[in-house]
Amino acid sequence: MAQASPSLTFEDLRERVLACELCPLSETRTNVVFGEGNPDADVLFIGEGPGEVEDSTGRPFVGPAGKKLDEVLHSVGIRREDVFIGNVVKCRPPGNRVPTKQEMEACVPFLEAQIAFINPSLVVTLGNTSTQWLMPEVPTITKSHGTFYTWQGGIQLLPMFHPSYLLRNPSKAKGSPKYLTWLDIQKVREWMDRQT
Ligand code: SF4
């Protein structure tokens, strides 16, 4: 993982990201979505990339999937300002397609720098893209969600379903993605409670 340069502040990093033109997504974006929350948070949530509303506002997870994420967080009393929320790529892939390998390779050093600054103890990956990018050896999200893995430097990594997947699967029945996410976020809550 990249180390944050001692001379670079988090604000410097934000400015660099906001000005970035390293990959073709810079040509179609409206706004760069750096991420937001508490830069000293113990818990970092990482999604795939900005969607339409995020692109138009420059804020992460504020569209329909973001509202769903808020519901999930609020169900266990986690506030956005308690955590940091970001994405693997900072600019919207057109049509919300999955970012290409080249786009992710170009952007991930920024995510690595964010991780180095925030220094979280727990990373919650939302969906397959961020999970598989950070830890390719874990099974796909249907099998890996809700499992704690030990990632680089001893950081815990917990995959969860992406909130947009929950929007496409609205059932709350036992065993449904929503039901399982409700169980998974309780694990995050319990983990946070153990830190205090
Ligand atoms: Fe730069 Fe990342 Fe945006 Fe590509 S997606 S232009 S690498 S900030």
Side-chain angles (χ1 to χ4, degrees):
M1 187 167 61
Q3 295 298 306
S5 159
S7 57
L8 187 76
T9 67
F10 202 58
E11 206 42 49
D12 294 336
L13 175 64
R14 182 195 306 274
E15 282 174 22
R16 276 195 198 179
V17 175
L18 295 187
C20 177
E21 296 183 346
L22 278 175
C23 89
L25 295 181
S26 64
E27 294 162 19
T28 49
R29 74 183 180 219
T30 307
N31 286 295
V32 180
V33 181
F34 178 74
E36 67 182 28
N38 178 358
D40 294 319
D42 274 343
V43 186
L44 170 63
F45 285 77
I46 305 176
E48 179 179 293
E52 185 178 10
V53 184
E54 291 77 12
D55 178 61
S56 66
T57 59
R59 297 184 57 211
F61 283 95
V62 288
K67 301 269 179 289
K68 183 55 67 185
L69 177 62
D70 285 344
E71 267 179 46
V72 171
L73 295 176
H74 291 163
S75 75
V76 292
I78 299 174
R79 302 171 305 164
R80 273 184 176 243
E81 55 266 39
D82 296 331
V83 299
F84 196 91
I85 300 174
N87 283 300
V88 174
V89 295
K90 315 300 187 201
C91 302
R92 182 192 183 204
N96 295 346
R97 62 164 171 73
V98 177
T100 65
K101 185 167 179 282
Q102 289 74 17
E103 290 158 357
M104 289 195 275
E105 279 174 350
C107 208
V108 151
F110 292 136
L111 176 62
E112 291 175 338
Q114 287 177 312
I115 294 171
F117 268 112
I118 296 166
N119 192 24
S121 303
L122 174 64
V123 168
V124 179
T125 49
L126 299 169
N128 258 329
T129 301
S130 57
T131 305
Q132 299 277 317
W133 186 268
L134 292 180
M135 217 170 167
E137 62 270 35
V138 307
T140 56
I141 195 75
T142 48
K143 290 196 175 133
S144 62
H145 75 88
T147 304
F148 283 97
Y149 296 92
T150 300
W151 190 52
Q152 296 174 4
I155 297 174
Q156 295 292 288
L157 184 147
L158 179 91
M160 283 180 37
F161 289 114
H162 194 282
S164 61
Y165 184 68
L166 305 183
L167 291 175
R168 297 195 298 275
N169 294 275
S171 168
K172 293 181 180 170
K174 194 170 181 182
S176 65
K178 262 191 180 169
Y179 178 88
L180 296 170
T181 297
W182 181 71
L183 296 178
D184 294 346
I185 196 66
Q186 290 187 63
K187 292 182 184 177
V188 175
R189 174 80 261 175
E190 287 160 11
W191 183 93
M192 291 172 79
D193 290 343
R194 284 199 298 275
Q195 311 309 305
T196 56

